[in-house]
Amino acid sequence: MNKIPFLDLRLEKGDELDSILSSIKKVLVHGKIINGPEVIELENKIASFCNRKYCVGVNSGTDALYMGLKSLGICQDDEVITTSLSWVATANAIAMTGAKPVFADIKNDLNIDPASVERLISKKTKAIVAVHYTGRVCDIDRLRKIVDKNELYLVEDAAQAFGAEYRGHLSGSFGDVACFSMNPMKVYAALGEAGLVLTDDRAVYDKLTALRYNGTVNKEECLFPGLNGRMDTIQAAVLLQRFEKVFQIIEKRRQNAAVYHELLKDYVTVPGESNDETHVFYTYTIQTDKRDELKQYLENHNIETKIQHPILMSAQVPFIDCRRDTLKCAKRVVNNILCLPANEKISKNEIKRVCNRIKEFFQK
Ligand SMILES: *Cc1c(COP(=O)(O)O)cnc(C)c1O
């Protein structure tokens, strides 16, 4: 049996490869290699798609988070509450501002638990970074209430959730600042590193455009120290080319998830979705207390799976002394999660093959 890969980043020969190559060629011909006209076009397109006033293209999702937090004035002695289950970039971006990440528990849906956030608020708390984990919008209504009541900032880490919706509103439209990653693994993917920051606040926008290029205005005058996080024009051109396709990708991932749901719901805990939301399934993450055995069994049958992420951020070396809730749910769940191959290139037959193996595993 051929291998079912978790992800396959090769471009399909033909239309996709040709259209991408011609959009890259345009950039090479006009020669504005960094922060060129395609970056501005992309910023405008995503700002209007997410119904935001401003969008700033940056070099990665990590940069987007770091600069987003900096633009809100987050700095040393501040505390920023976030989830315990995410890619470590979320906690790193907080720590790199000088602030302390504080780790909240999650719920069974793998997203941050607002009740845990409330328990962690202190005089030093300045912001909450809300991750839409696996491509599902987190409990944003309750987080917004907590943020307003305590006069905090809400930052969305929407790296995994481009196109996800909650009650008719898109991810990226909720936070004082919202951040996307367009790295090649994401649902809306560039062919290299790329990220975006969204906001409605003019002052935050001005700060972001300076932060993106060594803290400068007019390319020369430096107002504060900063790094270089500008976006490659080629990546913006690729993203513009792929913008139309991303909705087909999301639709295909949702169909794949529906097939998995039907075939697996009696064997493992499958991801949920309520009527008033659209999950984009960056990952299709199941939960089972036989996770490690199942992963090995599937590997033996040429099916690649991934654990995203096997180490809680709160358990990573730089963060072991950070303040946290009990993390009762997170500590259990992190040993049970497994991401199945569910991307848009996987066929229905391949999904059935994965499901048959999983059934076989549990019937033994
Ligand atoms: C991918 C990801 C990031 C970081 O994005 P990069 O573009 O890889 O720097 C941040 N947070 C989450 C939740 C992610 O999945």
Short mmCIF file of all heavy atoms in Angstrom, two decimals, residues 82-85 102-106 116 119-120 312-315 322-334:
data_model
loop_
_atom_site.label_atom_id
_atom_site.label_comp_id
_atom_site.label_asym_id
_atom_site.label_seq_id
_atom_site.Cartn_x
_atom_site.Cartn_y
_atom_site.Cartn_z
N THR A 82 -2.32 33.27 28.23
CA THR A 82 -2.60 32.54 27.00
C THR A 82 -2.89 31.08 27.34
O THR A 82 -2.84 30.66 28.50
CB THR A 82 -1.45 32.68 25.98
OG1 THR A 82 -1.89 32.19 24.71
CG2 THR A 82 -0.20 31.91 26.41
N THR A 83 -3.21 30.31 26.30
CA THR A 83 -3.51 28.90 26.48
C THR A 83 -2.22 28.12 26.81
O THR A 83 -1.12 28.62 26.58
CB THR A 83 -4.14 28.34 25.19
OG1 THR A 83 -4.38 26.95 25.33
CG2 THR A 83 -3.22 28.55 23.99
N SER A 84 -2.35 26.93 27.31
CA SER A 84 -1.16 26.10 27.53
C SER A 84 -0.89 25.19 26.33
O SER A 84 0.24 24.71 26.17
CB SER A 84 -1.33 25.26 28.80
OG SER A 84 -2.62 24.71 28.87
N LEU A 85 -1.89 25.00 25.47
CA LEU A 85 -1.71 24.12 24.30
C LEU A 85 -1.69 24.95 23.02
O LEU A 85 -2.73 25.38 22.52
CB LEU A 85 -2.83 23.08 24.22
CG LEU A 85 -2.75 22.11 23.03
CD1 LEU A 85 -1.51 21.24 23.07
CD2 LEU A 85 -4.01 21.24 22.95
N VAL A 102 1.47 33.70 31.04
CA VAL A 102 0.77 33.02 32.14
C VAL A 102 -0.17 32.03 31.48
O VAL A 102 -0.91 32.40 30.55
CB VAL A 102 -0.01 34.04 33.00
CG1 VAL A 102 -0.86 33.35 34.04
CG2 VAL A 102 0.96 35.03 33.66
N PHE A 103 -0.16 30.77 31.95
CA PHE A 103 -0.79 29.71 31.17
C PHE A 103 -2.13 29.25 31.74
O PHE A 103 -2.23 28.77 32.87
CB PHE A 103 0.16 28.52 31.04
CG PHE A 103 1.40 28.87 30.28
CD1 PHE A 103 2.60 29.08 30.94
CD2 PHE A 103 1.35 29.03 28.90
CE1 PHE A 103 3.75 29.43 30.23
CE2 PHE A 103 2.49 29.38 28.19
CZ PHE A 103 3.69 29.57 28.86
N ALA A 104 -3.16 29.38 30.91
CA ALA A 104 -4.51 28.96 31.27
C ALA A 104 -4.75 27.53 30.81
O ALA A 104 -4.08 27.02 29.91
CB ALA A 104 -5.53 29.90 30.63
N ASP A 105 -5.73 26.91 31.43
CA ASP A 105 -6.14 25.56 31.04
C ASP A 105 -6.97 25.63 29.75
O ASP A 105 -7.35 26.71 29.30
CB ASP A 105 -6.96 24.91 32.17
CG ASP A 105 -6.87 23.38 32.13
OD1 ASP A 105 -6.30 22.83 31.17
OD2 ASP A 105 -7.40 22.75 33.07
N ILE A 106 -7.21 24.46 29.19
CA ILE A 106 -8.04 24.36 28.00
C ILE A 106 -9.30 23.57 28.35
O ILE A 106 -9.43 23.04 29.46
CB ILE A 106 -7.30 23.64 26.84
CG1 ILE A 106 -6.82 22.25 27.28
CG2 ILE A 106 -6.12 24.48 26.38
CD1 ILE A 106 -6.25 21.40 26.14
N SER A 116 -10.68 29.62 33.41
CA SER A 116 -9.28 29.55 33.84
C SER A 116 -8.60 30.90 33.66
O SER A 116 -7.83 31.35 34.53
CB SER A 116 -8.56 28.46 33.04
OG SER A 116 -7.19 28.42 33.36
N ARG A 119 -9.44 33.19 36.52
CA ARG A 119 -8.72 32.85 37.76
C ARG A 119 -7.30 33.41 37.76
O ARG A 119 -6.71 33.60 38.81
CB ARG A 119 -8.62 31.32 37.91
CG ARG A 119 -9.92 30.64 38.28
CD ARG A 119 -9.68 29.22 38.78
NE ARG A 119 -9.33 28.27 37.73
CZ ARG A 119 -10.21 27.60 36.99
NH1 ARG A 119 -11.52 27.78 37.16
NH2 ARG A 119 -9.81 26.75 36.06
N LEU A 120 -6.74 33.66 36.59
CA LEU A 120 -5.32 34.03 36.49
C LEU A 120 -5.07 35.54 36.43
O LEU A 120 -3.93 35.99 36.49
CB LEU A 120 -4.70 33.37 35.25
CG LEU A 120 -4.56 31.85 35.32
CD1 LEU A 120 -4.23 31.29 33.94
CD2 LEU A 120 -3.49 31.44 36.32
N LEU A 312 3.19 20.70 26.21
CA LEU A 312 2.47 21.94 26.52
C LEU A 312 3.48 23.08 26.56
O LEU A 312 4.62 22.89 27.01
CB LEU A 312 1.78 21.82 27.88
CG LEU A 312 0.62 20.83 27.99
CD1 LEU A 312 0.10 20.81 29.43
CD2 LEU A 312 -0.51 21.16 27.02
N MET A 313 3.07 24.26 26.13
CA MET A 313 3.99 25.42 26.18
C MET A 313 4.48 25.65 27.60
O MET A 313 5.64 25.99 27.83
CB MET A 313 3.30 26.68 25.67
CG MET A 313 2.96 26.63 24.20
SD MET A 313 2.54 28.27 23.53
CE MET A 313 1.09 28.68 24.49
N SER A 314 3.58 25.43 28.55
CA SER A 314 3.91 25.65 29.97
C SER A 314 4.96 24.67 30.47
O SER A 314 5.57 24.88 31.51
CB SER A 314 2.64 25.51 30.80
OG SER A 314 1.96 24.31 30.42
N ALA A 315 5.20 23.58 29.72
CA ALA A 315 6.19 22.58 30.12
C ALA A 315 7.51 22.75 29.36
O ALA A 315 8.46 22.02 29.59
CB ALA A 315 5.64 21.17 29.89
N CYS A 322 6.89 29.89 34.89
CA CYS A 322 5.82 30.88 34.70
C CYS A 322 4.57 30.48 35.47
O CYS A 322 4.30 29.31 35.71
CB CYS A 322 5.48 31.01 33.22
SG CYS A 322 6.78 31.80 32.28
N ARG A 323 3.80 31.51 35.85
CA ARG A 323 2.56 31.30 36.58
C ARG A 323 1.56 30.56 35.69
O ARG A 323 1.55 30.73 34.47
CB ARG A 323 2.00 32.67 36.98
CG ARG A 323 1.19 32.68 38.25
CD ARG A 323 1.20 34.07 38.85
NE ARG A 323 0.53 35.06 38.01
CZ ARG A 323 -0.79 35.17 37.90
NH1 ARG A 323 -1.60 34.36 38.56
NH2 ARG A 323 -1.32 36.12 37.14
N ARG A 324 0.72 29.73 36.31
CA ARG A 324 -0.22 28.90 35.53
C ARG A 324 -1.39 28.48 36.40
O ARG A 324 -1.31 28.54 37.63
CB ARG A 324 0.50 27.66 35.02
CG ARG A 324 0.89 26.73 36.17
CD ARG A 324 2.01 25.78 35.83
NE ARG A 324 3.17 26.46 35.32
CZ ARG A 324 3.99 25.94 34.40
NH1 ARG A 324 3.78 24.74 33.93
NH2 ARG A 324 5.03 26.62 33.98
N ASP A 325 -2.43 28.01 35.74
CA ASP A 325 -3.54 27.38 36.46
C ASP A 325 -3.14 25.91 36.71
O ASP A 325 -2.02 25.50 36.36
CB ASP A 325 -4.80 27.48 35.58
CG ASP A 325 -6.08 27.37 36.41
OD1 ASP A 325 -5.99 27.20 37.64
OD2 ASP A 325 -7.17 27.43 35.80
N THR A 326 -4.02 25.11 37.28
CA THR A 326 -3.66 23.71 37.52
C THR A 326 -3.44 22.92 36.22
O THR A 326 -2.73 21.93 36.21
CB THR A 326 -4.77 22.99 38.31
OG1 THR A 326 -5.98 23.11 37.56
CG2 THR A 326 -4.96 23.58 39.69
N LEU A 327 -4.06 23.37 35.14
CA LEU A 327 -3.92 22.73 33.80
C LEU A 327 -4.35 21.27 33.82
O LEU A 327 -3.77 20.42 33.14
CB LEU A 327 -2.48 22.86 33.28
CG LEU A 327 -1.87 24.26 33.31
CD1 LEU A 327 -0.47 24.25 32.66
CD2 LEU A 327 -2.75 25.29 32.63
N LYS A 328 -5.39 21.02 34.60
CA LYS A 328 -5.87 19.65 34.77
C LYS A 328 -6.28 19.02 33.43
O LYS A 328 -5.86 17.91 33.09
CB LYS A 328 -7.07 19.68 35.72
CG LYS A 328 -7.40 18.35 36.33
CD LYS A 328 -8.37 18.51 37.50
CE LYS A 328 -8.99 17.16 37.81
NZ LYS A 328 -10.44 17.14 37.66
N CYS A 329 -7.06 19.76 32.66
CA CYS A 329 -7.53 19.24 31.37
C CYS A 329 -6.37 19.15 30.38
O CYS A 329 -6.20 18.13 29.70
CB CYS A 329 -8.65 20.14 30.84
SG CYS A 329 -9.35 19.54 29.30
N ALA A 330 -5.57 20.21 30.30
CA ALA A 330 -4.48 20.24 29.31
C ALA A 330 -3.50 19.08 29.51
O ALA A 330 -3.06 18.45 28.55
CB ALA A 330 -3.74 21.58 29.40
N LYS A 331 -3.18 18.79 30.78
CA LYS A 331 -2.20 17.73 31.06
C LYS A 331 -2.72 16.35 30.66
O LYS A 331 -1.94 15.48 30.29
CB LYS A 331 -1.84 17.73 32.55
CG LYS A 331 -0.88 18.85 32.91
CD LYS A 331 -0.59 18.86 34.40
CE LYS A 331 0.33 20.00 34.77
NZ LYS A 331 0.37 20.20 36.23
N ARG A 332 -4.02 16.16 30.75
CA ARG A 332 -4.60 14.90 30.30
C ARG A 332 -4.68 14.85 28.77
O ARG A 332 -4.20 13.91 28.14
CB ARG A 332 -6.01 14.74 30.91
CG ARG A 332 -6.79 13.52 30.42
CD ARG A 332 -8.13 13.38 31.15
NE ARG A 332 -8.91 14.60 31.14
CZ ARG A 332 -9.65 15.01 30.11
NH1 ARG A 332 -9.69 14.31 29.00
NH2 ARG A 332 -10.33 16.14 30.18
N VAL A 333 -5.23 15.90 28.21
CA VAL A 333 -5.50 15.94 26.77
C VAL A 333 -4.22 15.84 25.93
O VAL A 333 -4.20 15.20 24.87
CB VAL A 333 -6.30 17.23 26.44
CG1 VAL A 333 -6.16 17.61 24.98
CG2 VAL A 333 -7.76 17.05 26.83
N VAL A 334 -3.13 16.44 26.41
CA VAL A 334 -1.91 16.48 25.61
C VAL A 334 -1.36 15.07 25.34
O VAL A 334 -0.65 14.84 24.36
CB VAL A 334 -0.84 17.40 26.26
CG1 VAL A 334 -0.20 16.74 27.48
CG2 VAL A 334 0.21 17.81 25.25
#
